[in-house]
């Protein structure tokens, strides 16, 4: 609603959105590390849902408004809830010795308690100690949001696959809410007359646009091996991956706000329409596609060692990049240019939506190009993994972190025994779920290059998805 009213994104909107994002991150961080079926965890989740619901009613004001005070109260309330949630974890593991594998759980609980305590203190100062018209109130939000952030891969790994699934579900839910708002905006008009074929096409283009965005983002997580995922490459890649997720949700929200307005304006057939809704849709789509590309670039890609086959993959990736930037540039110009030939693509709402959905469908087809090359050369993805072994990354600073071989060997030698991390965690802690039943890689295999007999790379084979690790 705030985006629709203002027609743009400003500081308060980003701050309020970030508060909700970090609240979701807190819940996801806990649920992918610990068991959430007990009564206290479920009660905490229910109270957090109430806090988010009440806070969502106060997101239209600026920093010097009662709505900002309400948002600070929501941040403080959720931080206090998580402080006590992790205090319970610390009480359970307070007697853990440093030599134990469970000591990481104790460290993680202490670190999170400290951060949530500081965060709650900052929010409470903003609510009770400073006046509502305080000029620098925005800095209170900045400090609270900084304290909400967690260091990548801090202390305790989580269930990587569960965390990735939660991100995908969150994005799909957002797209579903956007489609629902479009339908709700159109429904009152169809109570008085039957929709025409053109109006059916308008709603169909909107649905196709959202579905193609879903394919561009969500399906990519299934084609990337866990060891090549940005969250497991190194901390820098994980840091930018998380912030990319945040800005992707912001851009998609802007797109949804524009689609809602665009649907109402189109069906109302208003005589003098502003370009505000059109700019929101074009700008939101362009930025969403750009951020999806940025997120994908955090992953490690693999090509064959054979030069001939490698050239096919390089050509496929090059074509994808060319089409991607062509679409981003075109849609950005449609939004920013005041005149010119591209503005003719925005003369009518249905024409603009048809162009954007066509661009989105083209990007989806282009995103399958490397998989088509893979299938034509190897037949299936399982065979391709035996040959696509040469890694490369677009960003030179995001090289994979080298594992501690001594630590991996020590953990691997004790896996599966009565004193292993898995058995001890399962026996001692009802708080911990199976997602963290093994805190390290349980096995490792040393392979040798069959071509020349020289030692190859260390291949780590986690026995469970949790062994892959993730962000804090």
């Amino acid at each position: 609603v705030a985006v629709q009213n203002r027609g743009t994104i400003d500081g308060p909107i980003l701050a309020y959105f970030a508060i909700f994002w970090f609240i979701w991150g807190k819940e996801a961080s806990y649920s992918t590390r610990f068991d959430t079926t007990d009564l206290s965890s479920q009660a905490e989740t229910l109270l957090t849902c109430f806090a988010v619901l009440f806070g969502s009613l106060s997101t239209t004001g600026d920093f010097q408004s009662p709505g900002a005070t309400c948002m600070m109260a929501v941040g403080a309330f959720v931080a206090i809830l998580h402080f006590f949630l992790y205090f319970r974890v610390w009480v359970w593991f307070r007697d853990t010795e440093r030599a134990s594998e469970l000591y990481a759980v104790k460290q993680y609980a202490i670190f999170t308690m400290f951060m949530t305590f500081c965060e709650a203190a900052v929010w409470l100062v903003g609510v009770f100690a400073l006046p509502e018209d305080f000029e620098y109130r925005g800095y209170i939000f900045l400090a609270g949001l900084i304290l909400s952030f967690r260091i990548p891969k801090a202390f305790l790994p989580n269930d990587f696959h569960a965390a990735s699934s939660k991100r995908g579900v969150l994005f799909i839910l957002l797209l579903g809410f956007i489609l629902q708002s479009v339908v709700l905006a159109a429904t009152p008009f169809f109570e008085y007359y039957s929709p025409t074929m053109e109006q059916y096409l308008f709603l169909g283009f909107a649905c196709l646009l959202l579905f193609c965005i879903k394919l561009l983002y969500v399906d990519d997580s299934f084609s990337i091996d866990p060891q090549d995922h940005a969250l497991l490459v190194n901390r820098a890649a994980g840091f930018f991956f998380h912030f990319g997720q945040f800005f992707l949700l912001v851009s998609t929200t802007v797109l949804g706000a524009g689609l809602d307005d665009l649907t109402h304006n189109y069906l109302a057939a208003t005589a003098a329409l502003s370009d505000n809704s059109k700019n929101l849709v074009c700008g939101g789509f362009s930025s969403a596609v750009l951020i999806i590309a940025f997120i994908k670039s955090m992953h490690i890609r693999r090509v064959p060692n054979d030069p001939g086959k490698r050239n096919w993959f390089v050509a496929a990736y090059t074509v994808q990049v060319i089409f991607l930037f062509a679409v981003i540039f075109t849609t950005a110009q449609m939004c920013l240019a005041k005149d010119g030939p591209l503005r003719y693509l925005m003369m009518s709402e249905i024409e603009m939506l048809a162009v954007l959905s066509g661009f989105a469908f083209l990007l989806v087809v282009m995103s399958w190009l490397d998989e088509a090359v893979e299938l034509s050369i190897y037949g299936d993805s399982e065979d391709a993994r035996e040959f696509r072994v040469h890694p490369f990354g677009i960003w030179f600073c995001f090289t994979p972190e080298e594992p501690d071989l001594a630590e991996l060997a020590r953990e691997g030698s004790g896996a599966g025994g009565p004193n292993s991390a898995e058995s001890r965690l399962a026996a001692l802690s009802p708080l911990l779920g199976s997602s963290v039943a093994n805190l390290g890689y349980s096995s490792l295999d040393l392979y040798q290059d069959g071509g020349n007999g020289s030692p190859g790379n260390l291949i780590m084979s986690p026995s469970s998805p949790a062994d892959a690790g993730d962000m804090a």
Side-chain angles (χ1 to χ4, degrees):
V1 176
V3 176
Q4 290 176 339
N5 292 340
R6 302 179 193 181
T8 186
I9 291 290
D10 56 13
I13 291 177
L14 282 177
Y16 301 156
F17 196 96
I19 290 176
F20 292 133
W21 163 251
F22 282 122
I23 288 175
W24 177 87
K26 290 184 179 76
E27 293 294 319
S29 179
Y30 184 86
S31 63
T32 55
R33 287 176 172 85
F34 304 99
D35 180 33
T36 57
T37 59
D38 57 287
L39 182 59
S40 57
S41 295
Q42 293 177 350
E44 183 274 334
T45 302
L46 178 62
L47 292 175
T48 299
C49 290
F50 281 128
V52 171
L53 175 62
F54 298 148
S56 63
L57 304 176
S58 308
T59 57
T60 56
D62 56 16
F63 288 136
Q64 288 75 33
S65 67
T69 304
C70 180
M71 290 302 300
M72 288 192 288
V74 169
F77 180 72
V78 175
I80 292 172
L81 287 178
H82 277 264
F83 174 86
F84 286 107
L85 203 59
Y86 283 94
F87 177 76
R88 187 188 64 165
V89 177
W90 176 81
V91 168
W92 190 269
F93 293 97
R94 65 184 182 277
D95 297 326
T96 304
E97 299 295 333
R98 184 179 293 271
S100 172
E101 293 91 342
L102 300 177
Y103 189 73
V105 183
K106 177 181 176 181
Q107 280 186 306
Y108 182 72
I110 294 174
F111 168 76
T112 309
M113 287 167 57
F114 174 77
M115 296 296 290
T116 51
F117 175 82
C118 294
E119 179 191 352
V122 168
W123 293 129
L124 292 175
V125 166
V127 172
F128 297 107
L130 297 176
E132 199 168 84
D133 58 350
F134 182 58
E135 182 180 0
Y136 301 104
R137 212 178 191 197
Y139 292 104
I140 300 296
F141 280 87
L142 179 61
L145 293 175
I146 291 175
L147 291 172
S148 299
F149 184 71
R150 298 294 177 262
I151 302 173
K153 298 183 182 178
F155 305 114
L156 187 66
N158 67 352
D159 189 332
F160 166 78
H161 292 285
S164 298
S165 177
K166 286 178 180 291
R167 294 186 190 93
V169 169
L170 177 65
F171 188 67
I172 292 174
L173 284 175
L174 178 59
L175 294 176
F177 290 143
I178 292 174
L179 184 60
Q180 182 185 36
S181 68
V182 170
V183 174
L184 289 176
T187 300
F189 295 95
F190 299 148
E191 291 179 354
Y192 304 101
Y193 62 89
S194 298
T196 64
M197 182 58 66
E198 184 179 292
Q199 292 168 342
Y200 276 126
L201 284 176
F202 179 89
L203 296 177
F205 285 139
C207 182
L208 177 62
L209 177 65
L210 297 175
F211 183 72
C212 288
I213 292 175
K214 175 262 179 188
L215 292 179
L216 284 174
Y217 171 72
V218 178
D219 286 7
D220 183 68
S221 61
F222 297 104
S223 61
I224 298 294
D225 289 335
Q227 67 268 21
D228 297 332
H229 198 280
L231 292 176
L232 305 182
V233 173
N234 62 23
R235 294 192 177 192
F239 175 84
F240 285 102
F241 180 87
H242 264 285
F243 272 89
Q245 298 284 331
F246 168 73
F247 286 108
L248 174 61
L249 294 177
V250 172
S251 301
T252 309
T253 303
V254 172
L255 171 64
L259 276 177
D260 193 6
D261 270 352
L262 193 74
T263 302
H264 185 274
N265 292 340
Y266 171 72
L267 296 176
T270 307
L273 296 176
S274 66
D275 288 337
N276 190 41
S277 60
K278 298 178 182 178
N279 290 336
L280 285 177
V281 173
C282 283
F285 174 78
S286 181
S287 57
V289 171
L290 177 62
I291 294 170
I292 289 175
F294 176 75
I295 291 174
K296 288 184 176 182
S297 70
M298 298 293 105
H299 305 312
I300 293 295
R301 303 290 176 174
R302 293 184 181 270
V303 294
N305 282 326
D306 180 77
K309 296 178 180 179
R310 183 190 305 177
N311 292 337
W312 280 103
F313 284 95
V314 172
Y317 290 134
T318 303
V319 171
Q320 288 176 351
V321 171
I322 292 174
F323 273 89
L324 178 71
F325 280 101
V327 169
I328 293 173
F329 176 79
T330 303
T331 52
Q333 285 295 107
M334 290 171 61
C335 174
L336 300 175
K338 300 300 181 181
D339 53 16
L342 293 179
R343 294 295 294 182
Y344 289 103
L345 300 177
M346 301 175 61
M347 293 298 293
S348 67
E349 293 84 355
I350 189 170
E351 180 181 349
M352 184 196 69
L353 208 54
V355 170
L356 294 182
S357 59
F359 282 155
F361 181 76
L362 178 64
L363 290 177
V364 170
V365 174
M366 288 296 105
S367 69
W368 294 336
L369 192 57
D370 59 321
E371 296 181 22
V373 171
E374 179 181 279
L375 292 177
S376 64
I377 296 177
Y378 301 112
D380 58 58
S381 58
E382 294 299 327
D383 292 337
R385 289 191 178 96
E386 298 181 9
F387 298 96
R388 293 181 65 179
V389 295
H390 183 73
F392 75 94
I394 297 177
W395 306 99
F396 68 92
C397 58
F398 295 159
T399 56
E401 294 177 346
E402 295 294 332
D404 188 339
L405 301 184
E407 182 68 21
L408 291 176
R410 184 166 61 252
E411 292 175 356
S413 64
N419 295 322
S420 65
E422 181 176 0
S423 62
R424 272 176 282 184
L425 284 174
L428 295 179
S429 176
L431 299 176
L432 288 174
S434 60
S435 64
V436 291
N438 194 329
L439 296 178
Y441 291 98
S442 64
S443 62
L444 56 94
D445 300 315
L446 294 175
Y447 289 91
Q448 289 189 344
D449 188 352
N452 54 17
S454 60
N457 294 329
L458 177 66
I459 307 298
M460 293 165 287
S461 304
S463 63
S464 68
D467 300 337
D470 192 10
M471 304 276 287

